[in-house]
Amino acid sequence: MNRMMIFFGIGEEDEEQSQEYKETDGQPLDAQGRNNVVSLHAAQKQVRLMLSEPRSYEDVQNIADHLRNHRTTVVNLKRLPKDEACRVIDFLSGTVYALNGNINKLSPETIICSPSNVDIQGSISELISEDANDLLR
């Protein structure tokens, strides 16, 4: 409470407090004289979304590597036969489970896989016909 009163110029500051709250260029310093104000922009990390269109089951390992590197990946399964697409989905489901991530359907032949640090909310599965859902069940 005293700090707030001092900040607004209402209260008086003790010598101990003035030593503790030295200011340089209007920014407070900690006990060791370092600036304790952190820019929010410096703390942000660049987010990368990967797009993948595997042409064979062997391409699925690259997708799993992206997930391990905390990159969300959209996977288009149109170029794969149905049996290989099911194998890819099975492999990615296991990968996502091991990484505590999520896997969601975007369309009948497109899925999105995200690692644990990405939260995907909502659903668009209502727009997909029941016949098209057979591939991704």
Side-chain angles (χ1 to χ4, degrees):
M1 189 65 153
N2 288 337
R3 291 182 190 172
M4 291 299 290
M5 290 175 44
I6 293 167
F7 179 77
F8 289 111
I10 300 170
E12 294 181 13
E13 189 172 356
D14 295 342
E15 281 188 40
E16 283 181 22
Q17 289 177 338
S18 65
Q19 293 273 336
E20 190 176 325
Y21 299 106
K22 291 180 187 174
E23 290 195 15
T24 304
D25 296 332
Q27 297 190 4
L29 300 175
D30 65 3
Q32 297 171 348
R34 296 180 306 216
N35 189 350
N36 64 357
V37 177
V38 178
S39 171
L40 291 177
H41 298 290
Q44 290 180 347
K45 219 171 122 177
Q46 184 179 5
V47 177
R48 189 171 293 180
L49 176 70
M50 304 303 292
L51 303 176
S52 181
E53 192 171 29
R55 295 174 190 253
S56 68
Y57 179 73
E58 287 76 31
D59 297 339
V60 76
Q61 186 173 358
N62 292 331
I63 300 168
D65 290 339
H66 291 308
L67 291 169
R68 275 191 3 206
N69 292 324
H70 302 288
R71 294 186 186 126
T72 301
T73 305
V74 176
V75 183
N76 184 355
L77 302 168
K78 278 188 174 184
R79 297 192 182 256
L80 291 173
K82 186 176 179 179
D83 61 324
E84 281 192 45
C86 289
R87 288 180 62 203
V88 167
I89 291 171
D90 289 342
F91 185 91
L92 291 176
S93 295
T95 302
V96 166
Y97 177 78
L99 297 172
N100 294 321
N102 294 308
I103 187 168
N104 294 351
K105 183 176 17 173
L106 297 178
S107 75
E109 297 171 332
T110 307
I111 59 173
I112 185 167
C113 302
S114 61
S116 60
N117 64 334
V118 176
D119 183 33
I120 297 176
Q121 296 179 348
S123 175
I124 59 173
S125 62
E126 302 155 3
L127 303 175
I128 300 172
S129 69
E130 286 301 317
D131 296 334
N133 280 333
D134 290 341
L135 176 64
L136 299 176
R137 282 190 188 187

